[in-house]
Amino acid sequence: MKHFLLGTVFGAAAGLVFSCMKDSNGNRPGKPLKDEFDAIKHEGQRFNAALQKARKASAELNAQMPEAERTVSDISDSVEHYSEHIQPIVNRMEKKSDELNQDLENIVPNNASEESKD
């Protein structure tokens, strides 16, 4: 116990002397350590703030998700209804296109055979 106390006293004295010393720039040895500690503390605060923002954004997203799902479902229903509504028109257009293609095929061979006669 006697040696422990003696070591503690000598260690404290050495630490006191070391902390009073200055380097060539006039800075004490503890200043860079304090600067590093302050930087780590600042980055920790920034990380905590960013984490809080991420949690808040996640909560807002979860709150908005049901409404977004309903909106997507409504859009899907509207597209399906519109598709059903225009299907007869599309069918008529396809039929008319087929008729025009047949008419065109009937006209073109006649023109080609007439040109070959000339």
Side-chain angles (χ1 to χ4, degrees), residues 13 15 23 27 32 44 46 59 62 67 79 86 93 99 113 116-117:
D23 65 2
N27 295 326
R46 285 184 54 204
N62 287 335
E67 185 176 337
V79 167
I86 66 167
M93 289 175 69
E99 290 173 2
S113 63
S116 64
K117 291 179 185 178

Side-chain angles (χ1 to χ4, degrees), residues 88-100:
I89 297 169
V90 171
N91 290 341
R92 283 197 304 267
M93 289 175 69
E94 286 177 349
K95 182 179 177 186
K96 192 65 171 172
S97 173
D98 290 342
E99 290 173 2
L100 287 173

Side-chain angles (χ1 to χ4, degrees), residues 38-82:
D38 289 344
I40 290 171
K41 182 179 164 185
H42 176 69
E43 291 301 319
Q45 290 170 345
R46 285 184 54 204
F47 177 75
N48 191 27
L51 187 60
Q52 293 299 324
K53 286 172 78 174
R55 285 181 180 155
K56 181 179 176 185
S58 176
E60 289 175 1
L61 178 63
N62 287 335
Q64 297 296 327
M65 196 60 104
E67 185 176 337
E69 288 174 348
R70 281 193 304 273
T71 301
V72 169
S73 177
D74 290 346
I75 290 172
S76 176
D77 292 345
S78 295
V79 167
E80 187 176 329
H81 176 70
Y82 181 73

